[in-house]
Every structure is written in structure tokens, then in C-alpha cells.
Amino acid sequence: MTSLIRQPPLLFPATARHTATVIFIHGLGDTGHGWASAVENWRRRQRLDEVKFILPHAPQIPITCNWGMMMPGWYDIHTIDGNAESLRKNEDEAGILISQAYIHGLIQREIDAGIPAERIVVGGFSQGGAMSIFAGLTSKVKLAGIVALSSYLVLSLKFAELVPKPQVNQDTPIFMAHGDSDPVVNTQLGKKSYELLKEMGYKPTMKIYPDLDHSACLEELDDVEAFLRQRLPALGKEEKPEL
């Protein structure tokens, strides 16, 4: 694969003391800007003031199911009919592993800047949610949580052998959400991924939203905010040592 050209992520600094970070990953054909309004809405409510948001942009790659057209993508997709067997067939393992390494690098950068791994959440929508589950659970550091909206488990047939030992994120909470009318990532595929994760001993929860297609709704975004507040509670002002 030729070297990928990456744009720097879109950043929303914490509005108070920076004690936590959320990395939120967009879906196929989108950019980090597509989730800026959701982040701005959370910031307006002033309930996540200590959280820095990082919205990375996927590189332009050819997407087979779109006749090889170049578009922002975290990995190639051969079919987009939402069927589990179709998606598992010809999975772009090389592309998935490249994006995994990139996301792990974003996590490490936050740790190097002084944010503990257990104050970092990785989340995303569709392809971005799939990468959040994969990169989050294969991380060598224990994260605060994982958010996966309208997504599924990639490389599920060999997932267990790709997870580093010890499995530091075995108990990391995973919030999964899906519309019941999703024609792109079939709702049953989302449910099957949830069941697979449970069978492997992980800690996912799943919420299904009625009449929601392959998109997000306000109720879902409120639920994501509640999950983030639970996993990344405010720590308050830093205590200064007495002289």
C-alpha cells in the first residue's frame, strides 16, 4: 500500500483543567468535521468541561463497494449490504491494522501528554465504531471506555488471537447503540457483535433505537454523553500543595 496522507485531527480542547480525552472516529466517507456539531453540543452543556475531544480524519483510500472510488475510509469494504457473512468475506485486515496502529498512536500521545489511559475513551460511528471496538480492545493500556454506534466487530473470526495478553481491557465498559432500521450495517449484525463480545467475556451494553436508520439521534447522543460522564467524572481543580 502506498503511504497514506493524513490530515491532523480536529481538536476541541478541554474548557476547564484537562483531565480526560475522548477520541471519536467518524464513518466511511465522512471526516472528523461530521461529528463537530455533536461535540459542540456536549460542550455547550458544560458537563464534560475537563474533556478534550479528538476527531481524527481518515485518509483517502479506494473503496471497492463504491467502484474503487477514493474517499475517507479506515479500511476497504467489499460489500455494503450489511450482511454478516458478506462483511466477513474479504475483510481488509491490512487496512484495519494500519488504522489500529494510528488510533493506538493517538492514545499514546495523550498518555505522553500526562492523561492516564484510564481517563481516555475511544468511540466512533459505523466504520469508526468498528475501529473503536477493535483498537480499544487490542490496546495494551486499560482504557476508561469504548463507544460503538451503528457498528460491528471486525476480524471476528480471528479477533481472540489478535488481542494482546494480558487482556487489560477485558472489563472495560463498551456502550453499543444501533437503530432498528439500519439498512447499511444491519441491526442483527450489531446484535451479533454484541453477543460475540459477551461470549468472549467482554462487558458490552447495547441499546436499540426505534425507527432509526444508519445515523445518530438526539436520544442516542444524550446516552453517549451520559456514558462519558459516568466513565470520565470531573476531578475538579488540582490541589496545590501547601508551602
Side-chain angles (χ1 to χ4, degrees):
M1 184 179 285
T2 56
S3 74
L4 299 171
I5 299 172
R6 295 190 185 275
Q7 300 299 321
L10 182 61
L11 302 178
F12 289 87
T15 56
R17 180 168 73 100
H18 177 205
T19 71
T21 296
V22 171
I23 301 168
F24 198 89
I25 306 161
H26 66 76
L28 180 66
D30 199 2
T31 69
H33 294 284
W35 285 87
S37 61
V39 170
E40 286 166 349
N41 187 50
W42 291 329
R43 283 158 61 92
R44 264 194 301 272
R45 298 188 192 203
Q46 299 183 314
R47 296 169 182 163
L48 296 166
D49 288 351
E50 296 182 12
V51 178
K52 170 186 176 182
F53 288 88
I54 299 176
L55 305 183
H57 307 296
Q60 296 271 342
I61 62 170
I63 301 297
T64 300
C65 68
N66 287 337
W67 304 281
M69 190 184 302
M70 298 289 288
M71 63 176 57
W74 299 106
Y75 52 89
D76 189 17
I77 293 182
H78 284 254
T79 180
I80 206 161
D81 62 5
N83 179 277
E85 292 311 313
S86 300
L87 279 167
R88 281 175 176 168
K89 195 175 181 182
N90 300 318
E91 278 191 294
D92 178 18
E93 182 175 348
I96 291 167
L97 294 178
I98 288 169
S99 290
Q100 173 203 39
Y102 174 68
I103 295 163
H104 284 173
L106 293 177
I107 294 169
Q108 188 58 50
R109 214 170 301 165
E110 290 304 294
I111 295 169
D112 292 345
I115 301 302
E118 291 193 41
R119 295 281 293 171
I120 298 173
V121 168
V122 178
F125 174 80
S126 193
Q127 229 192 27
M131 282 309 312
S132 296
I133 296 172
F134 185 76
L137 294 181
T138 59
S139 172
K140 293 180 180 178
V141 293
K142 182 167 178 57
L143 302 173
I146 295 166
V147 174
L149 311 180
S150 305
S151 54
Y152 62 100
L153 180 64
V154 294
L155 301 178
S156 59
L157 299 179
K158 61 190 301 185
F159 180 78
E161 65 190 67
L162 294 171
V163 178
K165 305 294 186 292
Q167 297 185 40
V168 294
N169 286 290
Q170 188 80 48
D171 296 322
T172 299
I174 308 166
F175 175 71
M176 300 180 71
H178 222 111
D180 71 354
S181 305
D182 192 331
V184 179
V185 178
N186 188 284
T187 311
Q188 293 307 314
L189 177 57
K191 289 180 177 178
K192 178 65 176 172
S193 296
Y194 163 74
E195 293 295 341
L196 280 171
L197 288 168
K198 278 181 68 178
E199 288 169 15
M200 288 188 284
Y202 294 105
K203 299 296 184 288
T205 57
M206 187 168 205
K207 185 167 180 180
I208 304 295
Y209 298 83
D211 304 317
L212 180 65
D213 56 15
H214 193 62
S215 59
C217 63
L218 290 176
E219 181 188 355
E220 183 181 26
L221 294 177
D222 285 348
D223 290 338
V224 172
E225 181 188 30
F227 178 80
L228 295 178
R229 290 178 67 194
Q230 178 192 50
R231 300 309 307 158
L232 304 171
L235 301 182
K237 292 182 179 178
E238 190 172 12
E239 297 271 344
K240 291 188 177 178
E242 293 184 14
L243 297 176

